[in-house]
Amino acid sequence: METIQKIQLTEAQVVALDSGKTVSIPASWDEFLYFLAETPYRTDYHNQHIIIMGLAAFIHELLVGRIIALLTALSKGGGYYVAGSNVGVQKTTGRGYYNPDVTVVKGQPAFVAGSNAIITNPFLVVEVLSESTAAYDLYHKLPKYEQIDSLQGVIFVDRFDQSVMIAERTDKPNAWLHTHYYNLTDVVKIDRFTFLLSDLFADLPDESQ
């Protein structure tokens, strides 16, 4: 029986995570599962690497909370469930595991065997971009999300220029529509969810202090 290597973070990696940076470690799927069971950090498994996200900025978490509140209010009576970043999303094909900032499920969640926290049927996911994860979220994570059959849309929230980008599945196979919202008066629309950009970005604290 093959022994699973226990991955332990170095002191330098812990310092990097505590400063909000991202750490990438090559690992097998079994090594990742072992690591996932013990780590306190938000963790993805992407292209044979464990991707560990560091502490999030206060405004990042503030925006996550606002998105959850907006989507929860808009989903009442529609059979949707809105959850935060401790819910994992696993691809049903290949090896891929992700922790969106927000996950929306339509109908009952389909759980991975033996878990009540990892689902395979997300309907909508949200990523609030940070300096350390923006490129990963947009250029590496999005193509993997698009391979999840149940997923109908991804909302990217950019706190730096106060904009939103929607990636939405179309009726054509492998074709997704990207829509950008830049003005605070814009109305963001995806499926049944509609809200003003200003509802998301109003009265944020100053990050420069």
Side-chain angles (χ1 to χ4, degrees), residues 4-5 7 25-39 42-46 48-52 89-90 95-99 118:
I4 299 174
Q5 178 69 33
I7 294 173
I25 303 172
S28 69
W29 178 251
D30 287 338
E31 288 170 342
F32 160 70
L33 293 177
Y34 192 12
F35 180 82
L36 180 65
E38 297 185 346
T39 185
R42 282 186 60 208
T43 305
D44 290 355
Y45 187 71
H46 176 77
Q48 292 79 53
H49 282 73
I50 297 173
I51 311 294
I52 310 164
V89 170
Q90 185 171 317
R95 298 298 193 190
Y97 172 93
Y98 301 96
N99 268 131
I118 303 173

Side-chain angles (χ1 to χ4, degrees), residues 33-167:
L33 293 177
Y34 192 12
F35 180 82
L36 180 65
E38 297 185 346
T39 185
Y41 295 103
R42 282 186 60 208
T43 305
D44 290 355
Y45 187 71
H46 176 77
N47 291 349
Q48 292 79 53
H49 282 73
I50 297 173
I51 311 294
I52 310 164
M53 272 68 76
L55 293 176
F58 176 80
I59 288 185
H60 179 284
E61 292 304 285
L62 182 62
L63 290 171
V64 169
R66 287 188 180 181
I67 281 283
I68 291 174
L70 284 169
L71 296 182
T72 299
L74 293 168
S75 66
K76 286 183 178 178
Y80 295 83
Y81 297 97
V82 183
S85 61
N86 283 329
V87 169
V89 170
Q90 185 171 317
K91 291 176 59 185
T92 54
T93 58
R95 298 298 193 190
Y97 172 93
Y98 301 96
N99 268 131
D101 287 311
V102 181
T103 301
V104 180
V105 176
K106 185 175 183 179
Q108 292 299 314
F111 294 105
V112 170
S115 172
N116 62 3
I118 303 173
I119 64 166
T120 59
N121 65 330
F123 179 79
L124 177 69
V125 297
V126 182
E127 296 287 358
V128 177
L129 303 179
S130 64
E131 290 178 306
S132 62
T133 64
Y136 168 60
D137 287 339
L138 289 167
Y139 303 115
H140 297 277
K141 219 167 174 180
L142 177 57
K144 299 298 185 182
Y145 280 150
E146 291 175 347
Q147 296 172 34
I148 300 175
D149 291 339
S150 65
L151 194 67
Q152 300 303 304
V154 184
I155 300 176
F156 290 101
V157 177
D158 189 335
R159 78 177 198 267
F160 302 103
D161 65 2
Q162 296 194 354
S163 66
V164 164
M165 191 268 276
I166 301 287

